[in-house]
Amino acid sequence: MKKVITYGTFDLFHQGHYNIIKHARELGDYLIVGVTSESYDIERGKLNVRDSLAQRMENVRKTGLADEIIVEEYQGQKLNDIIKYNVDILALGSDWRGKFDYLNKYCEVRYLQRTKNISSTMLRSAGTIYRVGIVTEDGEDHGIVWESKHVSGIHVDSVFSRDEETARSFCEKYELNSYWNDYDRFLEQADIVYVKCPAPEKLEYVDRAVREGKYVISDSPISEDSGVLRELFHRAEERRVVLVEKIMPVYLRAFNQLVWLIHCNLIGRVISVKCSISRDVFGGGNSFDETVVHGVCAVMKIMGQSCGDVSCNAVSDDRGEPVYKVITMKYPRALATIEIGSGLDVESGLTILGDGGRIHVPGDWWNTGYFEAKLRGNEFLKRYSFNFEGNGFRYLLQELMIMIRDVRTECTRLFYEESEALADVMKIINSQSDG
Ligand code: CTP
């Protein structure tokens, strides 16, 4: 009996999928079809899949051509499957030509002609494409245009800047469709607005975009006044639009898993959270406040909002610019410290110490797919690793698109209440900074 195997995501099942399965079946007597799992697709950077795994497997089953359907869960599984199922032929579409020749040692590799003019990508893009407009005062996109290409249903289309020349050169550099220095007209043509500019204009731009019923992403903090934020969120709910803050870790799988594990008592009762950020590697041209907000948010996600006492000490340079800040947040039986340096050799990292062990995220912890745990009574490190691609912005965009699709206005990664508590802490910190 000749066994054939083929693989795919088979999202929005189409004629091309049917054809390749049929042609693969014709090559032998028994056909195994491997369908990619959701986590594998995310891991390999395919963030735009619409159908669930169950749906995609059901669609393959309905062809009546597959003798067996399996799930493809990790890179390298193909070789394991070939050996495990004693496969004679691996069949793949011609778009993969040459890519799997190394498996010729184990079975015959056949590349079958792809069906022309159809793909899941084409079908996905036939739906609504949301046009993103960027509000900026500088000429850098900080990777956003590139990141957006990894999320389906979204296209960075325009840019607004008060300074026409900044807008024009930004538009040219990133090959956008239009640039504007009239905010009202800019808003008319955008569906999603990303406000990436300093305070106080940031708040005004966010507010006007929400009033016009636009979905909004904003650098954080939007405002240090929790009352103002509450009103903004209220207005966003009324207009049925999403307003999300760009605080990277909350959108990342690794950070969320870390928080869940701590809340599930992995390291016992938390005694201390310590995080350090070197602004120089933080990237994104962020202000001191935007850097601080990441540390405060991480602490609040881990420790909750019942922070009793916040204090901040800063060291400034000759021009009065802060170069070093240490923020301490006191909890009933725990202490959190956030250390931020600018132009100094601060070693970035996040360590959470519990009475049953510790968790450590080395390096740029706000943008990573990795952390490790050392549990009491266990001499070995337990390592957790998740795929992390690009600069992480795609994960925020993906969350936004899921919210739009599900017609949800409040982000479950960062609840309104958490944003407001964060603003209160930021206000205290800034009132205490003597820099
Ligand atoms: N395939 C094909 N003809 C098409 C589309 C896909 O023969 N027009 C084949 C692929 O070469 C692959 C299998 O079908 O061997 C599964 O492909 P998949 O990546 O799931 O489908 P695509 O439509 O290519 O998806 P996407 O646009 O997301 O890349």
Side-chain angles (χ1 to χ4, degrees), residues 135-187:
V135 178
T136 187
E137 281 183 8
D138 61 48
E140 290 300 320
D141 82 324
H142 305 304
I144 287 146
V145 175
W146 170 251
E147 290 290 303
S148 70
K149 295 191 195 306
H150 296 267
V151 181
S152 72
I154 212 164
H155 178 249
V156 180
D157 192 64
S158 61
V159 58
F160 164 85
S161 185
R162 278 184 306 179
D163 174 45
E164 190 172 346
E165 181 47 29
T166 305
R168 193 196 59 75
S169 60
F170 191 104
C171 178
E172 207 167 90
K173 182 171 172 187
Y174 297 107
E175 298 176 348
L176 309 186
N177 280 337
S178 60
Y179 65 91
W180 308 83
N181 70 344
D182 177 326
Y183 196 57
D184 289 322
R185 290 186 58 205
F186 161 78
L187 284 181

Side-chain angles (χ1 to χ4, degrees), residues 261-279:
L261 283 172
I262 290 170
H263 292 175
C264 291
N265 224 22
L266 182 76
I267 52 165
R269 189 169 67 79
V270 176
I271 309 288
S272 145
V273 179
K274 185 170 184 295
C275 65
S276 304
I277 309 177
S278 161
R279 245 187 91 194

Side-chain angles (χ1 to χ4, degrees), residues 39-267:
S39 57
Y40 179 44
D41 273 326
I42 290 173
E43 201 179 304
R44 63 195 188 123
K46 197 163 179 172
L47 300 177
N48 47 14
V49 178
R50 295 268 172 92
D51 289 340
S52 67
L53 171 62
Q55 180 66 61
R56 290 180 286 121
M57 289 179 89
E58 175 59 13
N59 289 339
V60 171
R61 193 194 61 75
K62 280 200 289 207
T63 62
L65 295 163
D67 296 287
E68 195 171 342
I69 302 172
I70 61 168
V71 181
E72 186 183 19
E73 291 178 280
Y74 58 91
Q75 208 174 1
Q77 186 183 320
K78 288 187 180 69
L79 174 54
N80 190 31
D81 290 342
I82 289 165
I83 296 166
K84 181 170 156 189
Y85 296 103
N86 203 11
V87 166
D88 299 288
I89 300 174
L90 165 66
L92 292 156
S94 46
D95 48 326
W96 294 104
R97 194 176 299 284
K99 300 249 167 57
F100 291 97
D101 285 357
Y102 63 91
L103 291 172
N104 263 319
K105 272 189 280 180
Y106 305 92
C107 71
E108 186 186 342
V109 180
R110 295 275 288 267
Y111 300 102
L112 307 178
Q113 192 54 47
R114 234 177 112 87
T115 307
K116 293 205 166 51
N117 300 324
I118 183 87
S119 72
S120 304
T121 306
M122 272 171 67
L123 294 174
R124 281 190 292 258
S125 62
T128 314
I129 300 284
Y130 289 84
R131 293 160 303 171
V132 181
I134 298 178
V135 178
T136 187
E137 281 183 8
D138 61 48
E140 290 300 320
D141 82 324
H142 305 304
I144 287 146
V145 175
W146 170 251
E147 290 290 303
S148 70
K149 295 191 195 306
H150 296 267
V151 181
S152 72
I154 212 164
H155 178 249
V156 180
D157 192 64
S158 61
V159 58
F160 164 85
S161 185
R162 278 184 306 179
D163 174 45
E164 190 172 346
E165 181 47 29
T166 305
R168 193 196 59 75
S169 60
F170 191 104
C171 178
E172 207 167 90
K173 182 171 172 187
Y174 297 107
E175 298 176 348
L176 309 186
N177 280 337
S178 60
Y179 65 91
W180 308 83
N181 70 344
D182 177 326
Y183 196 57
D184 289 322
R185 290 186 58 205
F186 161 78
L187 284 181
E188 274 170 27
Q189 51 80 56
D191 305 303
I192 299 170
V193 175
Y194 171 35
V195 181
K196 73 166 213 56
C197 68
E201 283 79 14
K202 179 162 54 185
L203 175 60
E204 187 202 326
Y205 290 138
V206 170
D207 187 37
R208 282 169 67 186
V210 168
R211 282 176 195 273
E212 288 305 314
K214 306 296 170 184
Y215 301 109
V216 181
I217 305 164
S218 172
D219 279 352
S220 182
I222 301 173
S223 165
E224 276 173 18
D225 186 329
S226 55
V228 168
L229 260 188
R230 197 168 310 126
E231 264 178 45
L232 263 183
F233 288 135
H234 183 65
R235 197 164 297 131
E237 284 219 295
E238 270 178 359
R239 303 277 196 281
R240 308 187 73 75
V241 292
V242 174
L243 166 57
V244 289
E245 287 188 76
K246 179 182 170 241
I247 305 179
M248 293 320 297
V250 304
Y251 303 101
L252 304 183
R253 176 76 200 281
F255 182 77
N256 279 297
Q257 182 115 6
L258 174 153
V259 171
W260 296 328
L261 283 172
I262 290 170
H263 292 175
C264 291
N265 224 22
L266 182 76
I267 52 165

